[in-house]
Amino acid sequence: LVGSVGHLGMELLKNRIPGMDATHVPYAGNPQVVTAMIGGQVQLALVPPAIAIPQVKAGKLKAIGLTSGRSTLAPEYAPLADLGVRDFNLEVWTALLGPASLSPAAKARITQEIATIMKNPEVRQQLFDKGWQPVGTSPEGMRLRVQDEAAIMSRIIQARGIKLQ
């Protein structure tokens, strides 16, 4: 999809690797991208580990590197930074959001409950088994992350002239 993490991440990667030339081919989602790679229609894509790793283990795809740091999900693969791609870090994450009018007391309670849930070994294992690395942060930490990543992606969108279609 235009503007997806895979699309913008690849544009960011093109900025970090001099001479890299890749054309964005929009697909409805990651399963379609993987099918196109297996079929030879696409040569390179950024795909979440939970979708990519089974295909790599089956010998249908080849992993080049991770877009973030070392991963317990895929410890056998090196981060792109270790392969010489500097100033590149791309992680897919999920955040719990609420309305701006959420009371401070409700926000504090939800934050506490989520922190408790995320410490549960069974929950952590279930998330891990689905391809997620549970980490967690404070509401302020999340706000700063969104702010920082929005700035990075905004620069890429403007530099590459990306438009929603």
Side-chain angles (χ1 to χ4, degrees), residues 58-137:
K60 296 178 181 180
L61 295 176
K62 178 178 171 98
I64 296 170
L66 302 175
T67 61
S68 59
R70 289 269 170 202
S71 171
T72 55
L73 291 169
E76 64 272 32
Y77 305 113
L80 291 174
D82 289 1
L83 302 174
V85 181
R86 299 291 171 228
D87 299 321
F88 183 84
N89 185 51
L90 180 70
E91 295 178 319
V92 176
W93 46 267
T94 299
L96 179 63
L97 304 174
S101 61
L102 191 66
S103 74
K107 184 164 66 170
R109 173 76 189 270
I110 291 168
T111 299
Q112 177 186 4
E113 293 297 330
I114 294 296
T116 300
I117 291 166
M118 295 306 291
K119 290 177 185 171
N120 181 307
E122 290 178 25
V123 170
R124 295 180 68 77
Q125 187 62 49
Q126 287 177 359
L127 289 168
F128 184 82
D129 291 345
K130 301 242 183 299
W132 291 96
Q133 289 183 252
V135 286
T137 187

Side-chain angles (χ1 to χ4, degrees), residues 19-86:
M20 180 178 173
D21 186 25
T23 301
H24 175 66
V25 179
Y27 284 89
N30 287 312
Q32 292 82 4
V33 171
V34 168
T35 299
M37 282 197 302
I38 291 170
Q41 291 86 31
V42 174
Q43 287 72 48
L44 185 67
L46 299 176
V47 181
I51 294 172
I53 291 171
Q55 302 302 326
V56 171
K57 288 184 177 177
K60 296 178 181 180
L61 295 176
K62 178 178 171 98
I64 296 170
L66 302 175
T67 61
S68 59
R70 289 269 170 202
S71 171
T72 55
L73 291 169
E76 64 272 32
Y77 305 113
L80 291 174
D82 289 1
L83 302 174
V85 181
R86 299 291 171 228

